[in-house]
Amino acid sequence: MYLNFRFIPFATLISICFLGSSNGSPIEPAGDNLHHIDYPRAPATFTHPGVLVNRAQLNFVKAKVAAQANPWYNAYNAMLADPLASSTRSPSPVPTVACGSSSMNPSVGCFAERQDALAAYANALAWYISGTKSYATKAISYMNAWAGGIKNHTASNAPLQTAWSGASWARAAEIIRYSNAGWSSGDITAFEKMLRSVYLPMIIGGSKNNGNWELVMMEAAQGIAVFLNDAASYDKAMARFATRAPAFVYLTSDGSCPKAAPINGFTTCSQVQDFWQQYSFPENGIAQETCRDFTHVGYGISSMSHIAETSKIQGTDLWTTDVGTRIRYALGFHSRYELGESVPSWLCGGTVDLRAGKIDFAITEDSRTLQVDPRVCSGSMADNKGANRARIILEAVRLASSAQVPSLHLLIARESNILQLELVLRILLTYLPESTEPKVYTDLLHQIANSAVHAPPQSSPRPVQNRKELSDKEARYQVRRLHLLPLAEEQDLQAGCTDLLSLFLIHRARKIDLETGSIPEIQELLEPFLNRDPYLRTWTVSNILPLRRLNYEYYPDLEDPYTLEAFERLEGRPAIDSFLARSARVGGTETIQSGRDIRGVVGPWIYGESSRKRRKTHHDRRRSSLVSPRPAGQVVSSKEEECHTAWSDVNDWLLDLALRDFAAAAETLEQWDGPSDIDYDGYNDHEDLDVDISQTLTLCYAQVGLSMLYANSETTPSTFEKSSGVLRKVSHLSDLDAHPALEEIHTSSVPFVSKDYLDQLSEVYLLHNALLRRNNPMTSSTQASVSFASLVLRSCVVLQKLGNPKSCRATAGLAAFAKPEEQMNELHKTLQKVPVKTRDDNAWAAVRQQILWLRNWQFQASEIEGDDGKESTGIFGKVKRMNAEIEMLRALLRASCYDLAVHVYCMQDQRPIADGTLERTILSVAMSFYDGASNGNRTRGGVRKASEMYSKQHWKKHPKVAAFQSHFPQSQYFHEANALLAATHSMSFYSLTLQHGVPFQPVNIRASRDPLSLIGKILEQNPRSYTKLDDLIEIGRNLVRAKIGS
């Protein structure tokens, strides 16, 4: 999940509203006597405008802007300068907004909807503050376009997408509706209908996902309810917020375990701890997503503060309640680590992801605004010590503008006391055409950087040209009018780069890309200087190298190739998604190039991404081209944390790929050996990862392989074959016992897994957002987890052969979490689906061995002992041995494998099934055949099958049918059953119809309360039956012996 809050001027202006309004005074620390409320109810009458800002706050800012008072005036202008406030921008509605994970795959209208909602809010603010009607018209155009266009939201991120956009729509609509902006009543009604039918139903029910989802959903629901004057929806949103807020930020007063939101259904502390990924809570302010990353914590805190502010406008001040206390502690707690405090070992295992970004409370400047060094245009560079200095500068500008590099080189050599390093670099940066080939001026750059500029060969001194006619005053004036670009750009300042030539080269590379788009030209410019400065080398390796590969080597036919500017803006998971979007199935073919692209594009990019994230705590940025050295005491986050964060995005991408295309994910795992397998294309003078960090990252990567097995739902033989390859790769990466190829797996080769290991597993570990947690015993790459996965995979293969295919996830759940009765039901279903012919004793003997192995993974084919009453490790391990054997016996009898059944269950010294149970089981199966028969003749159908099992007679076609009878010569059950079968067989030769014309069936005998009465019906319906009285008497005797009806 990712949201780019790049439109900082909005947040800035709102923050100023909060700071300046009488209703938005700074939050004061709450005392110990906080009053507690269940949740704030809707007011009797809603205040309008009343979503996030009210009329008093808007008027306050309007007055400040009119007076050109800062910071309000600058923030307002920054908002108007943003493209979202542009008068030429147009809405882009779509009927169905489809947003998958991270708003990708699919991504239909996701960005457009969020941006259009923000644009509506920007224009609404601009209208209110300036009174310019065109802004109101533009805001209305966005809202009307979407009200008439959107029908629904779909895909996995639909609730989150709806909330993000809905929150902005409500803010914009409130301002426009209640400021006489000219929004017609019909258009308002249509917009209300959109919010009520498309947005509110998607968000009002809340979410079981991470807390930032439900918080922003309730923020949007609250704002929409205010706009709709919907008290019921407002109450629902606030009631759900009242349960989620304390479940998102922990206070020690909550006890030893955080509170749980009812919607999540957690009943134990361990479930809550697993959800938080945190297992001790000694301090206030820990958030539910602290151990995920600070970015999502920031999302949640922002939504909590927005809800609190809207609630205050509507009459209930949450800042003085438990909510305000939690916000205050959460901000304080996370700010400590953002500001460089060491992370204690008890918090998230000692590692947190500090990607908090900008939260709504900060006032920031435009990151591209850098002032020209005043020495270029005044003071020492334009004083009266010599107007000729100004003429020399102007001549250098002229020569640079016309790309006369040799002449410029000569001028610099002659006037080196004036044309010093920084000034020359800025003149070149500003005026030298980007189309100039780098080889023309690289020698000059080397010389000026080394303070050893000498005249180029075959050159002679020439006077300064075309400037003699200028007066001293005019020359100085023109110098002052020069707008020389600063060498450093904001991102390079933040990274702490101090080498002037490196700053120039990077800035010029960006300008070349904007003008020509030629990455080879940029590479030609940079390569001679890569060993000069580590920052330059890092920037080149992580930007130019992967960009060259994407645009020129790997995908030269891209319709929309990357620009350097766009490439540098990418970060986090969206960057990974973008880089690898084309690699899984190249050109619609089966070619998988993900491994190559991770090795050659993502790896170098992450190398620089990690470096870019190293920040100083209190960095005094200078707004000039000079960069001061890094001050003492600067705090740099650990490499392990940075690398782990960046590579985690790759791991997440690979796991998501497995959900969409398991074959592609498995092939990627096969192609790539992990974070140490990076292709730097000869730029091998890079920082190697620490051995311990490298091992940690490799184990994290191996964990992806195990996670893929449990995330995949496919059950085809090819999937299992690829899964076996994944396990082999995991074993190799983790330096564990080698996993055998699938065709080499035999019962004796599968490793041991203890019952203690199974007992520690929890269904929580199979949740998608838990698969990659480092403490997940099912996916963390250990000998136990790999052994368990091997057994699960082998079980999948066996189940597939038995006709009951299951995924690794389902099979693992069956082994570890299923109740005994659930395992029994699955065993029964498996035996019913076995695709083996009847009377095939050899095949069914193999089936029995497989079933017993599925019950006990340590079972050996030679085992014949009976049930010891203990549970075993296996997918049917909670089914007692004798119960499993009973089901197996039933299956053998249904398959007419009587010889095998007799051999296994009657001829062993220690029978798997006790005699009494064995008799009853045989009788039960026989009677099921009997009851299903349509004819009583024992040579046909169900009665025949029943007779075959224990009849005294040896039928010609089945000479061994008396096998069971010989092993139970004194069995009363067998005698009674034989009598019933004999009577039924004899009655089959008579015509017999019951009431309502229903033909006689054998089951009617067993169902009759007076079976002897059937003899009378035979006499009634068969006129010549009186001639066979002896036969009828024998039928009667057998019915009495069978004890039917008694």
Side-chain angles (χ1 to χ4, degrees):
M1 182 178 62
Y2 176 81
L3 182 61
N4 182 9
F5 288 110
R6 71 172 184 84
F7 202 54
I8 301 303
F10 286 2
T12 302
L13 190 58
I14 295 168
S15 301
I16 297 167
C17 289
F18 292 168
L19 294 172
S21 167
S22 58
N23 288 333
S25 58
I27 303 168
E28 296 293 336
D32 294 333
N33 58 345
L34 294 176
H35 65 278
H36 176 74
I37 56 175
D38 291 332
Y39 65 89
R41 269 66 170 182
T45 302
F46 284 103
T47 298
H48 299 291
V51 178
L52 191 60
V53 291
N54 62 16
R55 194 178 304 280
Q57 292 170 319
L58 289 167
N59 287 337
F60 175 86
V61 174
K62 183 175 183 178
K64 291 292 185 182
V65 171
Q68 297 187 9
N70 282 322
W72 299 273
Y73 184 65
N74 284 346
Y76 174 70
N77 287 329
M79 181 185 74
L80 295 185
D82 192 280
L84 290 182
S86 170
S87 61
T88 60
R89 191 182 184 279
S90 300
S92 303
V94 296
T96 297
V97 177
C99 306
S101 178
S102 300
S103 295
M104 302 286 287
N105 299 317
S107 178
V108 180
C110 311
F111 184 73
E113 182 188 27
R114 296 198 301 268
Q115 295 298 90
D116 283 358
L118 284 172
Y121 186 36
N123 282 279
L125 286 169
W127 146 248
Y128 196 100
I129 292 169
S130 70
T132 302
K133 193 62 178 289
S134 61
Y135 289 125
T137 302
K138 178 59 71 172
I140 291 170
S141 73
Y142 285 111
M143 293 188 287
N144 287 352
W146 280 88
I150 189 171
K151 303 299 180 185
N152 64 333
H153 296 85
T154 63
S156 60
N157 258 31
L160 192 59
Q161 171 73 21
T162 307
W164 284 339
S165 303
S168 298
W169 286 132
R171 298 175 196 172
E174 274 286 288
I175 294 173
I176 293 297
R177 184 175 188 175
Y178 296 100
S179 60
N180 297 318
W183 199 11
S184 71
S185 59
D187 289 341
I188 292 174
T189 299
F191 192 77
E192 286 180 326
K193 181 179 179 182
M194 177 193 76
L195 293 180
R196 196 181 297 278
S197 61
V198 178
Y199 285 81
L200 199 56
M202 181 64 71
I203 57 179
I204 195 66
S207 170
K208 294 182 180 180
N209 287 329
N210 286 299
N212 79 84
W213 278 53
E214 190 165 71
L215 288 170
V216 74
M217 290 165 71
M218 294 310 104
E219 176 192 349
Q222 179 198 42
I224 291 171
V226 170
F227 179 75
L228 297 176
N229 291 297
D230 184 346
S233 293
Y234 187 95
D235 287 349
K236 287 181 182 178
M238 296 310 292
R240 192 166 292 283
F241 171 72
T243 65
R244 177 58 71 178
F248 189 74
V249 177
Y250 170 78
L251 296 178
T252 54
S253 58
D254 295 337
S256 60
C257 192
K259 294 180 180 294
I263 193 172
N264 289 115
F266 298 141
T267 58
T268 66
C269 184
S270 61
Q271 289 176 317
V272 177
Q273 291 172 341
D274 287 340
F275 188 59
W276 284 54
Q277 304 176 46
Q278 172 65 26
Y279 297 90
S280 63
F281 299 88
E283 293 188 26
N284 292 311
I286 305 170
Q288 181 253 305
E289 298 188 76
T290 298
C291 293
R292 182 184 185 187
D293 57 57
F294 282 21
T295 301
H296 292 86
V297 174
Y299 294 167
I301 295 173
S302 292
S303 291
M304 290 174 68
S305 65
H306 297 167
I307 291 171
E309 192 64 21
T310 297
S311 178
K312 184 174 182 179
I313 293 170
Q314 299 304 330
T316 302
D317 187 357
L318 293 181
W319 293 111
T320 60
T321 71
D322 177 82
V323 171
T325 301
R326 292 181 190 272
I327 293 174
R328 175 167 61 88
Y329 274 117
L331 287 170
F333 179 84
H334 294 87
S335 296
R336 285 159 45 193
Y337 303 111
E338 285 284 352
L339 295 174
E341 183 175 319
S342 297
V343 180
S345 59
W346 60 262
L347 179 62
C348 309
T351 301
V352 295
D353 184 341
L354 298 177
R355 296 178 296 177
K358 296 182 177 69
I359 302 179
D360 281 355
F361 303 122
I363 300 173
T364 62
E365 300 178 24
D366 185 345
S367 63
R368 290 281 177 167
T369 302
L370 294 172
Q371 302 299 322
V372 175
D373 187 342
R375 291 176 296 170
V376 174
C377 57
S378 63
S380 63
M381 289 191 178
D383 60 18
N384 292 323
K385 291 183 179 180
N388 192 49
R389 297 166 64 94
R391 291 188 175 88
I392 291 171
I393 293 172
L394 293 175
E395 178 66 5
V397 168
R398 185 187 71 80
L399 294 173
S401 300
S402 57
Q404 299 182 52
V405 175
S407 296
L408 177 61
H409 192 158
L410 179 61
L411 178 64
I412 295 170
R414 191 182 68 204
E415 305 291 350
S416 59
N417 60 324
I418 297 174
L419 298 176
Q420 297 182 1
L421 175 63
E422 180 186 355
L423 177 57
V424 172
L425 291 177
R426 296 182 69 184
I427 290 173
L428 290 173
L429 180 65
T430 307
Y431 293 104
L432 183 65
E434 283 72 26
S435 57
T436 306
E437 293 185 17
K439 64 182 180 182
V440 173
Y441 56 95
T442 50
D443 185 55
L444 173 61
L445 294 177
H446 272 298
Q447 291 185 30
I448 61 174
N450 295 323
S451 301
V453 182
H454 50 79
Q458 300 179 348
S459 61
S460 58
R462 292 190 298 177
V464 174
Q465 299 179 1
N466 301 325
R467 299 294 175 180
K468 290 183 179 180
E469 69 277 7
L470 292 177
S471 67
D472 294 349
K473 181 178 180 180
E474 289 173 335
R476 288 194 295 269
Y477 175 75
Q478 288 197 19
V479 168
R480 287 196 298 270
R481 296 278 293 175
L482 292 176
H483 297 287
L484 298 183
L485 293 173
L487 298 181
E489 295 192 276
E490 182 72 6
Q491 59 266 48
D492 306 311
L493 281 173
Q494 291 179 350
C497 180
T498 60
D499 181 70
L500 295 180
L501 180 58
S502 296
L503 291 170
F504 163 81
L505 291 168
I506 292 171
H507 198 161
R508 181 157 180 82
R510 292 176 181 134
K511 286 171 61 65
I512 291 173
D513 181 69
L514 286 174
E515 293 298 323
T516 70
S518 176
I519 298 301
E521 182 180 334
I522 294 174
Q523 192 167 359
E524 181 184 355
L525 169 66
L526 300 176
E527 280 188 343
F529 304 97
L530 292 183
N531 292 327
R532 176 182 177 86
D533 179 55
Y535 181 80
L536 176 63
R537 184 178 63 250
T538 297
W539 186 86
T540 303
V541 169
S542 61
N543 290 285
I544 304 306
L545 174 59
L547 195 56
R548 185 200 75 200
R549 283 171 168 162
L550 284 172
N551 287 354
Y552 291 84
E553 298 176 16
Y554 295 172
Y555 307 102
D557 297 328
L558 280 180
E559 294 182 1
D560 186 20
Y562 290 94
T563 64
L564 178 57
E565 180 183 15
F567 190 88
E568 283 195 280
R569 283 204 306 266
L570 291 170
E571 60 180 19
R573 175 61 189 275
I576 305 301
D577 291 337
S578 178
F579 298 155
L580 300 176
R582 303 161 190 83
S583 63
R585 300 285 177 185
V586 177
T589 69
E590 293 301 306
T591 304
I592 308 297
Q593 296 289 8
S594 305
R596 177 201 67 181
D597 290 2
I598 296 174
R599 182 184 302 107
V601 174
V602 176
W605 175 81
I606 285 180
Y607 166 62
E609 179 73 359
S610 300
S611 298
R612 285 191 292 273
K613 288 181 179 177
R614 301 183 184 124
R615 296 291 185 262
K616 291 180 292 186
T617 304
H618 302 291
H619 182 38
D620 183 19
R621 298 187 187 125
R622 297 176 57 186
R623 295 297 188 244
S624 71
S625 63
L626 292 177
V627 183
S628 60
R630 189 176 287 179
Q634 175 180 332
V635 177
V636 180
S637 55
S638 70
K639 293 181 183 178
E640 180 174 3
E641 175 188 317
E642 295 155 358
C643 293
H644 180 75
T645 298
W647 286 114
S648 290
D649 291 328
V650 179
N651 294 342
D652 288 339
W653 177 88
L654 190 52
L655 182 57
D656 289 345
L657 176 64
L659 291 173
R660 305 189 309 272
D661 189 341
F662 181 79
E667 178 64 23
T668 302
L669 204 75
E670 183 63 31
Q671 293 175 355
W672 183 52
D673 287 335
S676 60
D677 178 19
I678 306 301
D679 180 6
Y680 291 100
D681 196 29
Y683 299 112
N684 55 3
D685 185 21
H686 62 276
E687 299 177 35
D688 290 319
L689 286 176
D690 179 87
V691 174
D692 291 338
I693 295 176
S694 179
Q695 290 176 347
T696 299
L697 295 179
T698 300
L699 288 177
C700 289
Y701 175 53
Q703 185 171 358
V704 178
L706 291 175
S707 300
M708 285 165 49
L709 300 185
Y710 297 125
N712 179 37
S713 60
E714 299 176 20
T715 59
T716 62
S718 64
T719 296
F720 295 143
E721 181 66 39
K722 291 178 175 63
S723 299
S724 181
V726 168
L727 276 180
R728 288 196 301 275
K729 187 60 175 279
V730 170
S731 300
H732 169 71
L733 291 170
S734 309
D735 197 22
L736 300 173
D737 294 342
H739 172 78
L742 199 59
E743 63 274 9
E744 297 172 356
I745 296 181
H746 302 290
T747 302
S748 59
S749 68
V750 178
F752 172 79
V753 169
S754 69
K755 190 172 181 301
D756 290 339
Y757 173 78
L758 292 181
D759 289 342
Q760 70 170 311
L761 303 184
S762 165
E763 291 179 272
V764 172
Y765 296 135
L766 285 180
L767 295 176
H768 184 75
N769 65 351
L771 289 174
L772 294 179
R773 292 180 186 172
R774 290 292 294 131
N775 62 344
N776 188 330
M778 296 186 72
T779 58
S780 295
S781 187
T782 63
Q783 189 63 65
S785 63
V786 172
S787 296
F788 178 68
S790 297
L791 291 165
V792 166
L793 179 58
R794 170 61 176 162
S795 299
C796 290
V797 174
V798 172
L799 287 172
Q800 199 273 336
K801 292 179 179 179
L802 293 177
N804 188 22
K806 288 192 173 298
S807 67
C808 287
R809 181 191 186 93
T811 304
L814 188 61
F817 317 128
K819 298 177 181 178
E821 56 270 22
E822 293 172 333
Q823 290 188 352
M824 188 65 180
N825 290 338
E826 199 61 44
L827 171 60
H828 179 74
K829 184 168 68 173
T830 300
L831 287 172
Q832 286 185 320
K833 292 183 176 182
V834 172
V836 176
K837 295 180 180 179
T838 58
R839 304 184 186 277
D840 188 342
D841 282 9
N842 291 333
W844 276 98
V847 169
R848 177 175 177 267
Q849 296 301 315
Q850 291 170 325
I851 290 294
L852 293 180
W853 182 83
L854 288 174
R855 177 187 171 272
N856 182 1
W857 285 325
Q858 274 65 58
F859 171 80
Q860 300 295 317
S862 59
E863 292 183 7
I864 58 172
E865 69 272 10
D867 186 7
D868 58 6
K870 296 181 181 179
E871 292 183 3
S872 301
T873 57
I875 66 171
F876 303 140
K878 296 176 184 177
V879 177
K880 292 184 178 181
R881 169 73 181 269
M882 188 169 73
N883 292 339
E885 293 283 14
I886 290 172
E887 285 299 312
M888 191 67 240
L889 172 60
R890 290 178 180 274
L892 294 180
L893 296 179
R894 287 193 296 268
S896 301
C897 292
Y898 307 121
D899 286 350
L900 177 61
V902 168
H903 174 74
V904 172
Y905 297 104
C906 299
M907 300 181 67
Q908 307 298 326
D909 294 336
Q910 185 176 353
R911 293 182 176 180
I913 303 176
D915 287 353
T917 303
L918 181 59
E919 287 184 70
R920 289 189 293 272
T921 301
I922 295 170
L923 177 64
S924 173
V925 176
M927 289 301 98
S928 69
F929 289 144
Y930 178 90
D931 292 342
S934 60
N935 189 292
N937 193 307
R938 75 168 83 204
T939 65
R940 303 175 185 174
V943 174
R944 170 188 169 183
K945 288 187 176 182
S947 300
E948 287 176 348
M949 291 171 58
Y950 45 55
S951 173
K952 291 180 179 179
Q953 303 184 38
H954 292 205
W955 300 94
K956 293 180 181 180
K957 293 183 179 181
H958 309 286
K960 297 183 180 180
V961 294
F964 282 118
Q965 178 71 53
S966 65
H967 289 281
F968 299 96
Q970 305 301 321
S971 171
Q972 178 183 347
Y973 297 128
F974 275 59
H975 290 303
E976 293 171 357
N978 278 322
L980 174 62
L981 292 170
T984 304
H985 177 72
S986 297
M987 291 173 67
S988 69
F989 294 100
Y990 297 95
S991 203
L992 184 59
T993 302
L994 304 181
Q995 290 181 341
H996 309 296
V998 177
F1000 169 78
Q1001 293 180 335
V1003 71
N1004 297 132
I1005 299 176
R1006 294 221 309 145
S1008 176
R1009 294 183 178 179
D1010 182 13
L1012 291 177
S1013 64
L1014 296 174
I1015 297 176
K1017 293 184 181 294
I1018 291 174
L1019 290 169
E1020 293 173 3
Q1021 298 179 25
N1022 295 267
R1024 299 184 60 82
S1025 59
Y1026 68 90
T1027 63
K1028 300 180 180 180
L1029 292 179
D1030 290 342
D1031 186 38
L1032 294 177
I1033 291 172
E1034 184 60 23
I1035 290 173
R1037 287 173 178 168
N1038 280 326
L1039 290 175
V1040 172
R1041 294 187 189 108
K1043 297 184 179 180
I1044 301 298
S1046 61

